[in-house]
Amino acid sequence: PDLVALMGQAYPHLAEQQHSIMDVLRAEEERFFETLEHGMVILDATLAGGAKVLPGEVAFKLHDTFGFPLDLSADVCRERGVTVDEAGFDKAMERQKTQARAAGKFKMDRALEYTGAGNRFVGYDQLQHTAKVVALYADGTMATELKAGQNGVVVLDTTPFYAESGGQVGDQGLLSGDGARFAVQDTQKIKADVFGHHGVLAQGSLKVGDAVTAQVDTALRAATIRNHSVTHLMHKALREVLGVHVQQKGSLVDAQKTRFDFAHNAAVTPEQILDVEARVNAEILANTATQARVMDIESATKTGAMMLFGEKYGETVRVLDIGTSRELCGGTHVVRTGDIGLFKVVSEAGVAAGVRRIEAVTGRNALAYLQQLESTVHRAAGTLKTPVEELGSRIGQVLDQVKSLEKEVAALKGKLASSQGDELVAQAVDVKGIKVLAARLDGLDAKTLRDTLDKLKDKLKTAAIVLATVDDDKVQIAAGVTPDSTGRVKAGELVNFVAQQVGGKGGGKPDLAMAGGTQPGALAGALASVPAWVAGKL
């Protein structure tokens, strides 16, 4: 509020987005405190035992993995009279930079060398076009000919194939001519204006200079443009529903789905998703025509077209109007919004701090998704022998019945344990004034095991007790010591003594501790050793 009062007039967005800015700052503050907590745990563990130097590798791990600043590590160490191995930190940092550069160099080494003219893209309006082969590549190097069975990359002088860009995947299809058939599996940019058609020559031979017919896979392109076009409508709807702070952080558009990452610091609620779906489908039903205009960046700015923060634009840009959305976009799109058919969100999740991801489907994929959901609902209704419209209430009834049965089972287990407990009292042995009991009780869960233990402690008064149960080759152990004996025998030590013999470990309070194990065959011997262990502690 103080910052808004001081600078709100100069920066109107501060006032408009005051609440969302405060939410983001609060979330960042909480994350930083979590970072401090995690970092301090690692620091304490490293410096335990009187260490006088914080290793550079540890300092780098704190910085790189947990976001713990080096100067903060240095401040903490200084307070404790410990120095930081900054040379080791710098070495670890340089090693990571070298690895990153090597990865980048590997990608560049794979890039194809091309010095010819750019190709002409006609794919906005045409999905088939005649073209001439101007370059061929096999195994990453330039070639003059491809033969049947060879994988390669083809460059054409003119192409209707869209090369991957702006989140939209590259086109697939076929290049054919004079007996040659080259199956295009992907289209990638070699340069900004040079498209490489990646694939395999299915038959014939293909040479530089050959004439071919370039045919885009129309079904895949149609499905892809539906998903791309709806991404624009969804982006606008998200800003309307969640707030203008929503900004695109990444996207992937292919024939199956649209995947959209955006800035938002909280999960999108089911109600908000329904609102977004309603707004987008309303735009689809309006069936308005899309319009794409090429203009200079200054003119585009004046139209109010949305520009992505951090994106680099050239002097000339393409302004796309689809429905009520206006953005800069070089991708391929539907002719009318109605061509999208149907829009359905299928998932929403967080992918990074302050970044959410939505996946959605359109057209036939949306129909298939809804039909699958309907089929699942019908199968569930059939299993529960109830009409679909009454499925919700029927599931509620079944859950109530399950809870009731679980209570009955728990009560029966309690009665069984109580009766077994009465029999066990007689099995306790006296060890230097403490009643010691170690027994196996099958058919009990952890809670019932604890309850039985408490009842036995009440009956035996001064005692050290170990109870165990086995379920599906897993051992559960409970150890209890009465309050008057915890000064001599600790339940945590006792349960660990038994657990280690059955391949497990555990812990707890001096009077009650739990453990698990994986070797039920060793349980009898472990329980038999309890009296001697207790005797050794007295």
Side-chain angles (χ1 to χ4, degrees):
D2 293 339
L3 186 61
V4 171
L6 184 64
M7 306 185 70
Q9 189 171 356
Y11 300 95
H13 288 312
L14 283 175
E16 294 170 5
Q17 301 185 35
Q18 176 178 337
H19 294 296
S20 61
I21 291 172
M22 290 178 66
D23 288 342
V24 170
L25 289 173
R26 189 177 297 110
E28 289 296 329
E29 184 180 45
E30 291 172 356
R31 275 192 288 270
F32 184 68
F33 284 136
E34 290 176 4
T35 296
L36 287 179
E37 186 177 347
H38 292 153
M40 289 305 298
V41 169
I42 295 173
L43 269 176
D44 289 340
T46 304
L47 300 179
K52 293 300 180 182
V53 178
L54 179 68
E57 289 286 347
V58 175
F60 180 73
K61 179 182 178 182
L62 287 168
H63 163 81
D64 188 53
T65 306
F66 299 96
F68 207 75
L70 176 62
D71 55 355
L72 190 56
S73 296
D75 288 342
V76 173
C77 289
R78 195 177 301 113
E79 291 174 359
R80 302 185 184 189
V82 176
T83 59
V84 178
D85 176 18
E86 294 193 21
F89 176 90
D90 293 338
K91 185 178 180 180
M93 176 69 81
E94 186 58 36
R95 183 170 63 248
Q96 187 195 56
K97 288 180 179 179
T98 301
Q99 291 171 347
R101 284 193 294 266
K105 184 176 184 300
F106 175 72
K107 292 178 182 177
M108 290 302 294
D109 286 345
R110 292 180 60 200
L112 304 175
E113 294 183 6
Y114 180 83
T115 57
N119 54 229
R120 184 168 65 97
F121 176 61
V122 296
Y124 289 130
D125 307 308
Q126 302 176 54
L127 296 182
Q128 184 185 75
H129 202 277
T130 56
K132 184 175 74 171
V133 177
V134 296
L136 292 171
Y137 298 86
D139 298 323
T141 59
M142 190 169 284
T144 57
E145 181 181 6
L146 289 179
K147 295 183 179 180
Q150 271 192 297
N151 290 299
V153 180
V154 181
V155 179
L156 305 175
D157 63 342
T158 304
T159 180
F161 284 76
Y162 181 84
E164 181 174 333
S165 182
Q168 180 178 333
V169 299
D171 278 331
Q172 299 179 36
L174 181 69
L175 307 180
S176 59
D178 196 21
R181 291 177 64 83
F182 183 86
V184 179
Q185 298 165 342
D186 193 10
T187 308
Q188 296 283 333
K189 289 185 178 181
I190 297 174
K191 293 183 176 180
D193 59 348
V194 180
F195 297 0
H197 306 75
H198 296 244
V200 60
L201 188 63
Q203 68 179 54
S205 66
L206 196 60
K207 300 178 181 179
V208 173
D210 283 354
V212 296
T213 298
Q215 173 66 61
V216 174
D217 186 317
T218 56
L220 286 179
R221 167 71 84 86
T224 301
I225 64 175
R226 281 194 292 267
N227 289 333
H228 195 168
S229 295
V230 88
T231 303
H232 288 247
L233 299 178
M234 177 172 62
H235 189 187
K236 183 175 185 294
L238 285 167
R239 288 172 62 84
E240 291 172 348
V241 173
L242 303 179
V244 294
H245 64 279
V246 169
Q247 295 286 341
Q248 178 176 332
K249 293 298 181 182
S251 68
L252 173 64
V253 176
D254 57 25
Q256 285 72 46
K257 66 185 178 305
T258 174
R259 191 181 73 197
F260 186 72
D261 296 348
F262 58 97
H264 188 56
N265 64 339
V268 185
T269 67
E271 293 75 19
Q272 289 169 331
I273 289 175
L274 288 175
D275 195 357
V276 169
E277 289 178 337
R279 290 169 187 263
V280 172
N281 281 302
E283 296 262 28
I284 293 171
L285 287 171
N287 197 29
T288 55
T290 59
Q291 181 186 30
R293 295 169 289 165
V294 177
M295 60 184 75
D296 61 78
I297 188 68
E298 185 177 348
S299 299
T301 303
K302 292 178 180 177
T303 68
M306 181 180 293
M307 301 181 185
L308 301 182
F309 180 77
E311 189 77 14
K312 293 181 180 179
Y313 296 105
E315 294 181 3
T316 302
V317 294
R318 190 165 177 261
V319 178
L320 176 73
D321 290 303
I322 176 166
T324 58
S325 166
R326 176 173 291 171
E327 291 188 42
L328 302 189
C329 183
T332 57
H333 290 276
V334 297
V335 176
R336 307 185 71 88
T337 58
D339 296 342
I340 296 169
L342 176 65
F343 167 77
K344 185 76 182 76
V345 173
V346 297
S347 70
E348 189 278 340
V351 292
V355 179
R356 308 298 299 181
R357 170 174 292 173
I358 277 183
E359 289 194 6
V361 289
T362 61
R364 291 190 179 124
N365 291 332
L367 178 61
Y369 175 78
L370 293 174
Q371 287 176 332
Q372 183 181 21
L373 286 182
E374 186 179 40
S375 176
T376 300
V377 169
H378 279 291
R379 285 199 303 272
T383 300
L384 295 175
K385 296 180 173 58
T386 188
V388 169
E389 56 271 16
E390 297 176 10
L391 182 59
S393 59
R394 179 68 180 125
I395 290 175
Q397 292 173 3
V398 171
L399 289 175
D400 289 341
Q401 292 172 0
V402 169
K403 289 178 182 178
S404 177
L405 290 172
E406 287 176 343
K407 288 180 180 179
E408 288 183 25
V409 170
L412 289 172
K413 283 184 176 180
K415 290 179 180 179
L416 175 63
S418 180
S419 63
Q420 290 178 319
D422 292 339
E423 297 172 3
L424 289 173
V425 169
Q427 298 179 23
V429 296
D430 190 289
V431 177
K432 297 182 182 180
I434 294 181
K435 295 291 186 180
V436 178
L437 173 63
R440 171 172 171 170
L441 296 176
D442 286 334
L444 304 185
D445 55 24
K447 181 181 181 304
T448 310
L449 207 63
R450 287 195 302 270
D451 291 344
T452 305
L453 188 68
D454 288 337
K455 291 176 182 177
L456 285 169
K457 285 162 68 176
D458 290 340
K459 291 179 180 180
L460 293 172
K461 305 302 181 185
T462 299
I465 306 165
V466 177
L467 298 180
T469 186
V470 178
D471 182 25
D472 292 334
D473 293 330
K474 292 182 180 179
V475 181
Q476 291 191 75
I477 309 165
V481 178
T482 52
D484 60 350
S485 303
T486 53
R488 294 178 291 172
V489 179
K490 299 288 191 293
E493 295 177 1
L494 176 55
V495 83
N496 259 322
F497 168 72
V498 177
Q500 287 171 6
Q501 298 180 64
V502 294
K505 59 181 179 179
K509 299 177 182 179
D511 63 332
L512 177 64
M514 301 292 293
T518 57
Q519 300 170 13
L523 181 59
L527 293 175
S529 67
V530 169
W533 183 88
V534 173
K537 292 292 180 178
L538 299 177

